C-alpha cells in the first residue's frame, strides 16, 4: 500500500506543471508522510453542486493546475462530443490564490482542443461571467471561484451555453471525460491563441443592470457597502452610479480584493463576525441599509437598523421583500425558489395570481425554471434579471433592494415595516438553520441514516404530518439526498451541503397573525418553536 501510494505520488509529480505544488509534493514524498499523501491521493475531487471546489494543494484531492487542466480537457471533450467543437468558451475568475493561473490554463486547453476561448479582462464578479456566456453566444463558460469558502480553497464552476450551471447528466458526462484522460502529457496547451476580452462585456452587463429598476423610481436610500475582500466593489459602485443612487460608503478594511481575507474567519456574510466592520461603519455614517457581497459578488447580504443597532436580514426575508417589490411593480412570470427556502414566496405568488415553482437546492435548478421572472435561495442568492443573468447576482439584487428601501423611505417606512405587513397578510414565516460543520464526513452519513431508520413522529411538540425521503424524488423534484418533514405549522429539511463538509437543517415556523398588534406575540412564539425544532432535531439525528 505504502509503495503504491509513493508510486502514485511520483507519477503525479512527474506531470505537475506548477513549481509550487511540485515542491510541496516532493517534500511530502521525501518525508514519507503517508497520512498526508493518503488524504491527497484517496480519490479525485468530484464534480458537485458547483463543479469542483476544494483546498489548494498538490494531488488529485486538492485544487491545483493539474486538476484544473484535466477538468478543462474533460469539458472540451464533452463539448466536442456534443457537436460544439468550434464553440467559444468564456472564462472568468476571482481574486483568490491561483485563480488567474487556473483561468489561463483553461483557455490554453480549449485552444489546444480546437475550441475558441475568451478570458474576462481581470478578476470580476461571477454574474458578469454568467452574463457574458449568453451575451457572446458561447458554448460554455467557466468561472474560477470558491465563492465564500475559506481562503485556502478555490473552485471551478461550469456553465453551458444557456448561461446556467451544469446539471445532470452533463456533470456525470463531463466527469467521465475527465476520468478518461490518461496523462496530462496528452493534453495540448499552446502558449497563445485565446482572446483577452476588453471592457465591452462589462459595459454591456452594466447597461443591463439599469433594467432591473423601475424608470423614474426614487433613488435616495444611502448605503454602507462591503466587498468582503472580494471582487464586487468596482462593479457595484459603477452600477450604483449609473442608477443615480448616493455613492455607497465603503468598509475600507474590506474594500480591496485580498485572497487571504484578513479581517474575517470565513468570507461569508452569514458567518458570525463577518459583518462586524460593516456595522461599525454604519454606526458612524448612519445609512438606510448595509449591503455586503460575498467575495465573488453573486450573493447579497442586507442589514437594517433594528432598535439601537443593526441586524442582518435573513436570506428568506430579503427574498420575500424583493418578491413583494417586484409584484408591486407589476412583474409577471414565474416566482421560484429552492425547497430549503421559506414557503412565504409561494403565498406571495398565490395572492398575486402568479405561477410559483419549487426546485432542488442551487441556482443551477432555479435558473432553469421555464418563464422565470424572479428566483431566490435562502443562502443570500437572488436572480432578479433572469434574461440577463441566469444565476444569482449580488450586484442587481443590491440595486433592487436599495430601490425598495428608497420607495419605502419616501413613504416614511422601512424594510422592517414591509416585513411586518407581509407577516400580517400571509402569516409570520420565521426561518432558522441548524448547521453542523464536521471534520469526519461519516458523522453526516450517520445522522442521515438515523433519521431514515427512525424518523421523528413529532418535533417541537408538533406532529409530523408528512415525512419524505427526497432520494426517491417527488412529483415535481428529481431525486436528491435530503429529508423533508411537514408539520402542523412548521417545516424541516435536512441535507448534506453540496459545497462544504456540513450537515444543514433548514427550519421554518409559520405563525398566523391577525393584526399588527399581534406581531410581538407571534415573533415570541416563532422563536420558541424554532429553538424547540433545533433541540428535537439534534436529538433525533444524534448530532
Amino acid at each position: 500500500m505504502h509503495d503504491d501510494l509513493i508510486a502514485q505520488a511520483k507519477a503525479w509529480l512527474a506531470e505537475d506543471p506548477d513549481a509550487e505544488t511540485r515542491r510541496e509534493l516532493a517534500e511530502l514524498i521525501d518525508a514519507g508522510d503517508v497520512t498526508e499523501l493518503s488524504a491527497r491521493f484517496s480519490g479525485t475531487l468530484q464534480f458537485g453542486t458547483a463543479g469542483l471546489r476544494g483546498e489548494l494543494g498538490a494531488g488529485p484531492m486538492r485544487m491545483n493546475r493539474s486538476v484544473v487542466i484535466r477538468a478543462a480537457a474533460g469539458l472540451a471533450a464533452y463539448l466536442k462530443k456534443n457537436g460544439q467543437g468550434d464553440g467559444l468558451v468564456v472564462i472568468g475568475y476571482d481574486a483568490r490564490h491561483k485563480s488567474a493561473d487556473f483561468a489561463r490554463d483553461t483557455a490554453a486547453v480549449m485552444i489546444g482542443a480546437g475550441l475558441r476561448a475568451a478570458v474576462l479582462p481581470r478578476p470580476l464578479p461571477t454574474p458578469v461571467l454568467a452574463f457574458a456566456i449568453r451575451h457572446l453566444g458561447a458554448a460554455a463558460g467557466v468561472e474560477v471561484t470558491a465563492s465564500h469558502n475559506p481562503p485556502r480553497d478555490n473552485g471551478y464552476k461550469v456553465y453551458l451555453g444557456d448561461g446556467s450551471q451544469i446539471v445532470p447528466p452533463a456533470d456525470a458526462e463531463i466527469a467521465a471525460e475527465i476520468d478518461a484522460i490518461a496523462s496530462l502529457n496528452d493534453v495540448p496547451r499552446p502558449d497563445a491563441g485565446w482572446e483577452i476580452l476588453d471592457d465591452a462585456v462589462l459595459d454591456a452587463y452594466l447597461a443591463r443592470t439599469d433594467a432591473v429598476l423601475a424608470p423614474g423610481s426614487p433613488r435616495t436610500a444611502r448605503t454602507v457597502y462591503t466587498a468582503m475582500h472580494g471582487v464586487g466593489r468596482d462593479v457595484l459602485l459603477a452600477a450604483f452610479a449609473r442608477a443615480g443612487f448616493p455613492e455607497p460608503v465603503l468598509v475600507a478594511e474590506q474594500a480591496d480584493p485580498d485572497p487571504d481575507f484578513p479581517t474575517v474567519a470565513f468570507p461569508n456574510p452569514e458567518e458570525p463576525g463577518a459583518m462586524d466592520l460593516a456595522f461599525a461603519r454604519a454606526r458612524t455614517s448612519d445609512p438606510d441599509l448595509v449591503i455586503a457581497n460575498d467575495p465573488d459578488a453573486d450573493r447579497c447580504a442586507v442589514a437594517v437598523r433594528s432598535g439601537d443597532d443593526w441586524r442582518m436580514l435573513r436570506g428568506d426575508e430579503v427574498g420575500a421583500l424583493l418578491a413583494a417589490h417586484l409584484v408591486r411593480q407589476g412583474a409577471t412570470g414565474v416566482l421560484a425558489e429552492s425547497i430549503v427556502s421559506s414557503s412565504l414566496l409561494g403565498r406571495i405568488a398565490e395572492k398575486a395570481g402568479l405561477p410559483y415553482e419549487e426546485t432542488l437546492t442551487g441556482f443551477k435548478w432555479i435558473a432553469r425554471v421555464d418563464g422565470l421572472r424572479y428566483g431566490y435561495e435562502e443562502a443570500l442568492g437572488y436572480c432578479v434579471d433572469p434574461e440577463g443573468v441566469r444565476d444569482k447576482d449580488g450586484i442587481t439584487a443590491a440595486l433592487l433592494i436599495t430601490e425598495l428601501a428608497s420607495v419605502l423611505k419616501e413613504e416614511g417606512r422601512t424594510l422592517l415595516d414591509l416585513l411586518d405587513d407581509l407577516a400580517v397578510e400571509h402569516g409570520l414565516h420565521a426561518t432558522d438553520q441548524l448547521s453542523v460543520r464536521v471534520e469526519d464526513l461519516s458523522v453526516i452519513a450517520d445522522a442521515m441514516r438515523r433519521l431514515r431508520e427512525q424518523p421523528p413522529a413529532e418535533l417541537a411538540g408538533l406532529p409530523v404530518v408528512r415525512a419524505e425521503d427526497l432520494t426517491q424524488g417527488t412529483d415535481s423534484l428529481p431525486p436528491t439526498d435530503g429529508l423533508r418533514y411537514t408539520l402542523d405549522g412548521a417545516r424541516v429539511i435536512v441535507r448534506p451541503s453540496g459545497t462544504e463538509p456540513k450537515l444543514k437543517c433548514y427550519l421554518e415556523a409559520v405563525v398566523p397573525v391577525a393584526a399588527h398588534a399581534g406581531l410581538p406575540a407571534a415573533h415570541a412564539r416563532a422563536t420558541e418553536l424554532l429553538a424547540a425544532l433545533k433541540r428535537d432535531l439534534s436529538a433525533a439525528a444524534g448530532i
Side-chain angles (χ1 to χ4, degrees):
M1 165 64 195
H2 176 249
D3 290 347
D4 281 358
L5 183 61
I6 296 292
Q8 212 184 336
K10 283 183 168 168
W12 183 275
L13 178 65
E15 290 187 358
D16 189 338
D18 187 323
E20 203 177 320
T21 43
R22 268 205 315 276
R23 189 167 57 247
E24 182 188 317
L25 187 53
E27 284 169 9
L28 292 174
I29 294 169
D30 290 346
D33 189 338
V34 175
T35 309
E36 187 60 27
L37 287 171
S38 297
R40 290 164 183 247
F41 286 87
S42 59
T44 55
L45 279 187
Q46 295 302 305
F47 254 60
T49 312
L52 295 167
R53 205 179 281 187
E55 192 176 335
L56 289 163
M61 287 298 287
R62 298 284 184 268
M63 282 298 295
N64 51 63
R65 289 183 60 200
S66 299
V67 162
V68 163
I69 289 164
R70 285 170 183 273
L75 173 60
Y78 167 85
L79 291 170
K80 289 166 84 165
K81 263 193 186 162
N82 284 274
Q84 295 179 300
D86 59 351
L88 171 69
V89 178
V90 60
I91 301 150
Y93 59 103
D94 67 12
R96 283 179 180 262
H97 293 296
K98 298 280 184 191
S99 286
D101 294 347
F102 294 168
R104 191 171 55 247
D105 281 332
T106 301
V109 170
M110 295 305 158
I111 298 300
L115 288 120
R116 294 175 293 130
V119 183
L120 292 179
R122 58 186 168 282
L124 285 166
T126 294
V128 177
L129 180 273
F131 166 81
I133 295 164
R134 299 181 69 205
H135 180 68
L136 298 172
V142 169
E143 174 70 20
V144 180
T145 181
S147 190
H148 57 285
N149 274 39
R152 62 177 185 272
D153 288 5
N154 212 329
Y156 198 79
K157 239 183 203 183
V158 177
Y159 298 76
L160 292 180
D162 62 355
S164 48
Q165 295 174 49
I166 52 168
V167 293
D171 54 355
E173 290 170 20
I174 294 168
E177 297 293 349
I178 294 170
D179 291 344
I181 296 154
S183 161
L184 280 195
N185 301 328
D186 302 339
V187 181
R189 301 196 306 281
D191 293 332
W194 56 91
E195 181 187 358
I196 304 287
L197 294 164
D198 59 18
D199 277 352
V201 167
L202 177 59
D203 293 342
Y205 167 81
L206 285 167
R208 263 207 85 89
T209 60
D210 302 358
V212 306
L213 303 175
S217 62
R219 311 274 165 100
T220 53
R222 292 174 304 107
T223 54
V224 159
Y225 171 72
T226 175
M228 204 72 56
H229 300 295
V231 299
R233 177 193 60 199
D234 294 350
V235 178
L236 181 126
L237 290 179
F240 270 60
R242 284 183 70 104
F245 287 112
E247 185 176 345
V249 173
L250 298 179
V251 179
E253 303 92 326
Q254 298 176 332
D256 293 326
D258 186 334
D260 294 320
F261 305 104
T263 66
V264 287
F266 285 95
N268 178 355
E270 290 180 293
E271 292 281 349
M275 296 290 284
D276 289 356
L277 287 170
F279 292 163
R281 193 73 189 85
R283 288 179 202 117
T284 60
S285 64
D286 194 31
D288 297 297
L289 67 169
V290 175
I291 286 175
N293 285 138
D294 67 337
D296 69 326
D298 62 352
R299 294 166 197 249
C300 175
V302 180
V304 293
R305 184 185 300 288
S306 178
D308 293 334
D309 210 358
W310 289 83
R311 92 162 168 92
M312 267 272 285
L313 293 178
R314 301 194 73 87
D316 283 318
E317 292 176 312
V318 177
L321 287 168
L322 290 175
H325 181 46
L326 288 167
V327 164
R328 185 173 167 181
Q329 287 182 345
T332 57
V334 181
L335 306 188
E337 65 182 337
S338 61
I339 54 170
V340 298
S341 306
S342 168
S343 56
L344 177 55
L345 185 68
R347 305 265 179 105
I348 291 170
E350 187 181 6
K351 180 88 188 279
L354 293 175
Y356 162 78
E357 274 197 46
E358 245 184 358
T359 74
L360 292 185
T361 313
F363 265 81
K364 60 183 187 179
W365 298 109
I366 296 169
R368 284 189 152 71
V369 168
D370 277 345
L372 181 68
R373 173 58 188 88
Y374 167 67
Y376 97 90
E377 186 156 79
E378 53 68 48
L380 312 184
Y382 315 94
C383 173
V384 302
D385 176 26
E387 283 308 298
V389 175
R390 291 203 177 163
D391 200 359
K392 53 189 179 288
D393 182 345
I395 306 290
T396 48
L399 287 170
L400 199 62
I401 199 75
T402 308
E403 178 185 54
L404 172 57
S406 302
V407 169
L408 292 166
K409 186 178 180 177
E410 302 294 298
E411 299 168 357
R413 286 154 40 83
T414 67
L415 295 175
L416 291 180
D417 293 327
L418 179 52
L419 282 173
D420 285 348
D421 292 351
L422 291 171
V424 173
E425 192 174 356
H426 304 288
L428 174 65
H429 289 61
T431 55
D432 201 358
Q433 208 183 103
L434 171 63
S435 181
V436 185
R437 187 180 284 273
V438 299
E439 292 295 318
D440 177 1
L441 288 173
S442 70
V443 174
I444 293 177
D446 290 347
M448 295 298 286
R449 189 175 63 246
R450 252 181 94 144
L451 289 169
R452 284 192 168 102
E453 287 169 3
Q454 300 167 302
E458 65 163 47
L459 294 166
L462 303 172
V464 174
V465 182
R466 192 163 80 239
E468 297 167 278
D469 186 343
L470 299 174
T471 47
Q472 311 303 310
T474 70
D475 295 347
S476 56
L477 297 170
T480 187
D481 187 7
L483 300 162
R484 176 162 61 179
Y485 303 112
T486 306
L487 302 109
D488 192 7
R491 186 204 65 195
V492 172
I493 290 171
V494 185
R495 63 178 274 273
S497 166
T499 52
E500 298 173 274
K502 277 183 176 180
L503 182 68
K504 292 184 150 183
C505 311
Y506 303 84
L507 320 170
E508 178 171 49
V510 183
V511 181
V513 190
H516 281 77
L519 280 166
H523 279 287
R525 171 66 180 144
T527 302
E528 184 188 310
L529 273 175
L530 290 170
L533 284 171
K534 259 188 194 177
R535 182 192 65 227
D536 293 358
L537 187 64
S538 295
I543 49 175

